[in-house]
Amino acid sequence: MLQIDKHAEEKALTLVLTGRLDTTTAPELESVVKENTAGVEKLEFDCSKLEYISSAGLRVLLASQKIMNKQGSMVVRNISEEIREIFDVTGFSDILTIE
């Protein structure tokens, strides 16, 4: 299960992810990103409550990064050690801005 909380402020959008981002829940996040990024110049994913991410979840983050490369910036914040390890092993820590 994945809960997505949206916080929009002017041209910034923060998505707080809670739970698991996997094959089942990735399409939901993809839809939220596509429906809410028009005019957004700063996209932030708050992953402080994200428990797990699969390759499907990584794909959504990569697609989000490609969208934001054209219109602004994207950052992934507050990842756990387990998720940081997944990012490191897959090379995503070199692709994404992680704070």
Side-chain angles (χ1 to χ4, degrees), residues 1-4 17-31 47 49-61 83 86-87:
M1 191 177 118
L2 179 69
Q3 178 179 334
I4 305 167
L17 308 179
T18 304
R20 298 173 59 86
L21 181 51
D22 55 25
T23 307
T24 307
T25 59
E28 179 185 355
L29 179 59
E30 190 171 30
S31 292
C47 298
K49 298 175 186 169
L50 189 65
E51 300 164 7
Y52 172 80
I53 188 166
S54 73
S55 58
L58 292 172
R59 185 183 55 75
V60 174
L61 291 181
I83 292 176
I86 291 168
F87 282 179

Side-chain angles (χ1 to χ4, degrees), residues 6 13 27-38 40 67:
K6 297 179 284 192
L13 175 65
E28 179 185 355
L29 179 59
E30 190 171 30
S31 292
V32 168
V33 169
K34 285 182 178 177
E35 292 167 9
N36 292 279
T37 51
V40 170
I67 291 168

